[in-house]
């Protein structure tokens, strides 16, 4: 009986492993149409080693451990933003760098360099130095922890602060495998800023399968959104949604995103 149980467990684990998809690149092309502003954006990230999914095509481990390079560009009616960067992992260490250019009539440039250390595979401490060409320089400190509840479900938490402790944030994510091909996520972030109003945002996703899902979000400013996402195959997905504000119903927006994973 014990031998049979071991064999069955091995078959189930093998089936789960075989069901996982993996990708080296993830890219997005998005458009948002609102009453006050229209935005077009594109972003892409390339992983030097394959990144495995947790079931749904767009769900991966909470703390990334794959070296990568990335870039993004966004253009709206008032400004455009360019971002490039990358991370390199070696043993228990990770180093990274990025460059951002925000064009709002003049050019606001920022450079970052970061270094992190894994105390164990589920606990990462990281320091990021930010140099603003036309503003104040500062440092950010992050502590990310991933707690596995079982072989699939997890709770991930990231705590962030700047060097003066003027900015403090806590982000968390709960991933649940509901079995039978269904999944559920809850995500939230709370930010506390000196001399400014605290902010928070919450979002949930429900997966009917690893290809099809619906989502909803709400934040401190009473802005809400909802929509759906569907992958027509393992490489191409389409996400559409609607956004508005509970206090100002005239401030509505529609958005769409094409996702490419290979």
């Amino acid at each position: 009986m014990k031998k049979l149980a071991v064999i069955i467990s091995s078959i189930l684990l093998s089936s789960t492993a075989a069901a996982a998809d993996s990708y080296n690149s993830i890219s997005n092309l998005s458009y948002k149409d609102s009453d006050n502003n229209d935005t077009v954006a594109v972003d892409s990230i390339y992983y030097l080693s394959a990144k495995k999914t947790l079931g749904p095509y767009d769900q991966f481990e909470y703390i990334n451990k794959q070296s990568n390079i990335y870039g993004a560009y966004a253009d709206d009616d008032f400004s455009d933003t360019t971002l490039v960067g990358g991370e390199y992992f070696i043993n228990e260490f990770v180093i990274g760098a990025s460059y951002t250019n925000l064009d709002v009539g003049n050019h606001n440039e920022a450079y970052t360099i970061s270094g992190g250390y894994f105390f164990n595979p589920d606990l990462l401490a990281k320091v990021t130095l930010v140099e603003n060409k036309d503003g104040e320089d500062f440092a950010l400190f992050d502590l990310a922890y991933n707690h596995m509840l079982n072989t699939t479900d997890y709770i991930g938490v990231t705590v962030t602060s700047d060097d003066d402790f003027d900015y403090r944030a806590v982000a968390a994510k709960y991933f649940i495998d509901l079995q039978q091909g269904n999944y559920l996520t809850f995500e939230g972030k709370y930010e506390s800023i000196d001399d400014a109003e605290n902010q928070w945002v919450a979002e949930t996703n429900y997966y009917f399968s690893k290809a099809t899902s619906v989502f909803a979000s709400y934040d401190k400013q009473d802005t809400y959104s909802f929509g759906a996402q569907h992958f027509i195959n393992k490489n191409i997905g389409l996400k559409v949604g609607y956004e508005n504000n509970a206090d100002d119903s005239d401030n509505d927006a529609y958005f769409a995103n094409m996702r490419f994973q290979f």
Side-chain angles (χ1 to χ4, degrees):
M1 182 63 70
K2 289 183 178 180
K3 184 176 181 180
L4 179 60
V6 171
I7 293 173
I8 293 174
S9 298
S10 299
I11 292 173
L12 291 175
L13 290 174
S14 298
S15 299
T16 302
D21 297 281
S22 61
Y23 302 95
N24 282 96
S25 68
I26 300 173
S27 303
N28 294 280
L29 175 62
S30 62
Y31 175 73
K32 184 176 181 179
D33 180 11
S34 66
D35 293 336
N36 302 319
N37 192 14
D38 294 338
T39 303
V40 178
V42 59
D43 65 80
S44 185
I45 184 168
Y46 178 79
Y47 297 97
L48 276 62
S49 58
K51 193 170 182 66
K52 293 182 179 181
T53 65
L54 295 179
Y57 289 135
D58 65 345
Q59 290 296 317
F60 303 89
E61 62 182 350
Y62 182 71
I63 302 177
N64 176 57
K65 302 180 181 69
Q66 276 77 37
S67 298
N68 61 82
I69 54 175
Y70 56 85
Y73 177 78
D75 179 75
D76 60 26
D77 295 341
F78 306 102
S79 65
D80 61 79
T81 305
T82 303
L83 168 68
V84 292
E87 294 178 301
Y88 183 70
F89 293 79
I90 178 169
N91 298 324
E92 292 84 16
F93 296 91
V94 56
I95 57 174
S98 71
Y99 166 77
T100 305
N101 187 323
L102 174 61
D103 186 0
V104 285
N106 58 349
H107 294 279
N108 297 315
E109 298 177 299
Y111 303 85
T112 73
I113 185 170
S114 62
Y117 178 77
F118 283 90
F119 293 97
N120 61 56
D122 293 317
L123 181 61
L124 171 65
K126 186 167 67 173
V127 179
T128 302
L129 304 178
V130 182
E131 178 184 350
N132 285 302
K133 187 175 181 180
D134 301 311
E136 183 180 356
D137 300 338
F138 60 93
L140 289 174
F141 302 91
D142 292 286
L143 186 65
Y145 175 65
N146 177 61
H147 178 66
M148 296 301 300
L149 299 173
N150 51 49
T151 56
T152 57
D153 303 357
Y154 72 78
I155 296 177
V157 179
T158 301
V159 180
T160 304
S161 172
D162 66 1
D163 49 353
D164 293 326
F165 209 61
D166 295 330
Y167 172 82
R168 303 159 297 274
V170 177
K173 182 175 180 178
Y174 182 21
F175 176 83
I176 313 166
D177 184 349
L178 299 173
Q179 308 300 319
Q180 306 301 319
N182 305 125
Y183 306 86
L184 183 66
T185 69
F186 294 102
E187 295 182 65
K189 185 174 184 179
Y190 179 84
E191 296 176 295
S192 176
I193 309 170
D194 287 356
D195 303 322
E197 187 178 6
N198 296 339
Q199 301 294 323
W200 59 262
V201 60
E203 180 179 345
T204 184
N205 292 265
Y206 178 79
Y207 293 83
F208 300 97
S209 68
K210 64 183 184 179
T212 306
S213 61
V214 292
F215 65 89
S217 69
Y218 199 87
D219 68 14
K220 174 69 178 294
Q221 304 302 321
D222 295 323
T223 298
Y224 62 89
S225 68
F226 57 85
Q229 178 175 252
H230 177 69
F231 280 79
I232 59 177
N233 56 45
K234 64 174 292 185
N235 301 116
I236 301 175
L238 174 63
K239 183 177 184 177
V240 294
Y242 173 77
E243 179 181 286
N244 208 326
N245 188 277
D247 288 337
D248 183 8
S249 60
D250 293 329
N251 188 26
D252 60 345
Y254 301 87
F255 56 89
N257 182 81
M258 287 291 295
R259 187 177 177 101
F260 306 91
Q261 301 185 171
F262 297 95

